Amino acid sequence: MGARDRIREVNPAFYERYSKLQDTDEFWEFLIKPLRQSIRVNTLKAPLNVVVERLKEEFELEPIPWVREGFFINVDNLAKVPEHGLGLIFGQEASSMIPSVVLGPKPDELVLDMAAAPGSKTGQIAQYMKNEGCIIANDPKPSRANVLIANLNRMGVLIARVTTRDGAYFARFENTFDRVLLDAPCSSVGMIRKRWRFLEEWRLKAVIRYMNIQKRLIRAAYDALKPGGTLVYSTCTIDPLENEEVVDYLLRKTEARIEKIDLPVRTSEPLLEWEGRTYSPELKKALRIHPNDNDTEAFFIAKIVKPEGGE
């Protein structure tokens, strides 16, 4: 049975909805094909070239074009790699490395990672900040915050303060953060390649529930951002209601502007129209990544700036 038929059988409503996005055999096939293992070298613990040389003695590494520290690696279980236990490398999906690259944090900045667990992006941010400055790493669920703390410890992150607030709480810190990452909770359609249950359990009402949470969070993230600061909004889903709709909402409600992202990554066209809704042409500057574009998880990334003197 082909991928298309398997998806249609498991969840007909899912198939019907997303066939309007892209309806090629390749799209359906990559949506459920197992993921390639990828890693990020953690330069907080050792120089990039030293770790890469060591790994190359045992494994085949293929550089990920859009992140200098990222590699595809031919290993089925990272637990077998001693460097992983030591925190010299971290298992991280290739497209999920893009938001932190786009955020572009620098040493001595104050950064908010609003939905941080399990912490792979937080560790990547700390790496770009060279462990200088401060990251507020937030996750509302204490159980997830514990995993986040464990991972940050393993990576040698020294500049994070972990909080367990509802992300909307940060709206009160108006114009405070140099950069904010909102890697939003979402329907995780892009992660079916990792866990089949995301397909089985997918429901449109959940997408709408997530959309409402995302709108609340993106507004709070923007409020907390300093004028001149950068907000990156990302999800691992393909639904326009959780992606273009949410960013369009922010553009309509505030002075927010979108900036073009310049990375060597293949993308699909962002949607400017969906189910009778039309979105700002500015959304063309966002990255919409389908699994078949680069053989990765699906991802959506928008780089948003708050104008100087703007609200």
Side-chain angles (χ1 to χ4, degrees), residues 36 47 66 84 88 140 161 163 187 241 251 263 265 268 285:
R36 297 187 277 174
W66 48 87
H84 182 254
L88 294 169
R161 294 287 170 271
T163 55
S187 61
L241 290 186
L251 295 182
L263 282 178
V265 58
S268 296
K285 296 175 182 170

Side-chain angles (χ1 to χ4, degrees), residues 13-200:
F14 176 98
Y15 177 80
E16 187 186 348
R17 182 166 179 82
Y18 297 125
S19 58
K20 293 184 241 167
L21 266 187
Q22 194 176 348
D23 195 19
T24 62
D25 288 343
E26 185 189 52
F27 172 70
W28 296 116
E29 191 184 311
F30 276 89
L31 206 55
I32 63 172
K33 180 182 167 186
L35 272 173
R36 297 187 277 174
Q37 181 64 59
S38 51
I39 55 162
R40 173 173 52 76
V41 175
N42 177 17
T43 54
L44 293 177
K45 287 210 163 174
L48 181 61
N49 56 345
V50 174
V51 181
V52 169
E53 285 311 304
R54 196 353 253 139
L55 290 172
K56 277 185 172 167
E57 291 169 15
E58 218 173 317
F59 305 103
E60 285 167 36
L61 297 184
E62 182 196 323
I64 295 171
W66 48 87
V67 53
R68 211 169 65 88
E69 308 82 15
F71 298 88
F72 294 107
I73 184 170
N74 64 329
V75 64
D76 53 354
N77 182 1
L78 277 178
K80 294 177 189 166
V81 185
E83 284 77 6
H84 182 254
L86 295 167
L88 294 169
I89 63 171
F90 199 81
Q92 186 174 350
E93 204 284 316
S95 57
S96 96
M97 298 181 200
I98 297 173
S100 305
V101 172
V102 171
L103 189 68
K106 295 182 173 58
D108 296 321
E109 289 185 331
L110 176 61
V111 177
L112 170 62
D113 188 351
M114 196 180 254
S120 51
K121 295 179 186 73
T122 321
Q124 192 180 356
I125 290 168
Q127 175 168 333
Y128 298 153
M129 293 170 73
K130 301 186 165 70
N131 252 342
E132 291 165 25
C134 181
I135 303 168
I136 303 298
N138 181 67
D139 202 279
K141 286 197 178 138
S143 59
R144 287 171 58 86
N146 284 335
V147 174
L148 171 62
I149 290 166
N151 281 331
L152 295 177
N153 283 339
R154 183 154 62 87
M155 286 185 268
V157 174
L158 306 174
I159 57 167
R161 294 287 170 271
V162 173
T163 55
T164 50
R165 299 281 188 171
D166 173 349
Y169 165 84
F170 291 93
R172 70 188 63 190
F173 300 102
E174 220 174 321
N175 302 329
T176 297
F177 293 90
D178 295 296
R179 297 175 202 266
V180 180
L181 173 62
L182 171 53
D183 184 51
C186 70
S187 61
S188 302
V189 171
M191 289 173 70
I192 290 169
R193 303 185 64 168
K194 207 185 270 174
R195 293 196 191 90
W196 188 246
R197 71 176 174 84
F198 287 126
L199 174 61
E200 293 172 330

Side-chain angles (χ1 to χ4, degrees), residues 48 79 136 219 236 248 286:
L48 181 61
I136 303 298
R219 187 63 209 259
C236 57
D248 186 73

